[in-house]
Amino acid sequence: EAAQRRSPVAVCGLDPRDAAASSGQVRCAQSGAAWQAGWIVYGDANLNGELDDGEAVLQVTRDANLSVYPPNDVAASAVITFRPLGTLANATPRRLLVGTDGAQAAPAQALCVAIDGYMRVLPLTAVCQ
């Protein structure tokens, strides 16, 4: 989406308190929180990793059967930001665990968002590079 728009885009977990809110009134979940209520894709024009007033919410996905978790050993930010070319704004790959709701202790698979912005599915024990 960032490369298509040629502008910064971010993805964050949907704050559970906003699960039923309209797209224009949603907030990001706190750092380290599971994305159990869904996720938000938004334009992050100033690359600050926050959904600021005036930044466009591009998509809100609400999924009651899927959760995305930061790995237990990582104090992960609640936001993944992409530069206008589609690469990660941070030079560190992002590893996320995915499972059904309530399965944080036993996630189904791991996802790796590489520095180049591409995502791939990994075995749960694999290192994200």
Side-chain angles (χ1 to χ4, degrees):
E1 190 66 28
Q4 180 180 354
R5 292 177 172 275
R6 294 193 170 121
S7 63
V9 169
V11 180
C12 69
L14 175 63
D15 188 315
R17 297 172 291 183
D18 298 337
S22 69
S23 293
Q25 298 184 356
V26 293
R27 294 171 292 183
C28 292
Q30 296 179 0
S31 267
W35 299 5
Q36 291 179 303
W39 50 88
I40 304 166
V41 179
Y42 62 94
D44 189 16
N46 58 6
L47 278 169
N48 70 349
E50 296 180 17
L51 178 51
D52 300 314
D53 289 340
E55 290 181 328
V57 173
L58 307 174
Q59 179 181 357
V60 178
T61 300
R62 294 171 172 92
D63 192 329
N65 297 317
L66 183 68
S67 293
V68 179
Y69 306 94
N72 291 331
D73 58 340
V74 176
S77 166
V79 179
I80 300 173
T81 306
F82 298 87
R83 295 189 182 280
L85 293 175
T87 59
L88 284 180
N90 187 325
T92 304
R94 298 295 304 271
R95 185 171 182 262
L96 300 167
L97 305 176
V98 180
T100 56
D101 268 353
Q104 184 169 5
Q109 57 191 2
L111 302 175
C112 176
V113 182
I115 296 168
D116 61 9
Y118 286 97
M119 184 177 68
R120 65 186 191 278
V121 178
L122 298 174
L124 287 174
T125 57
V127 175
C128 179
Q129 298 179 1

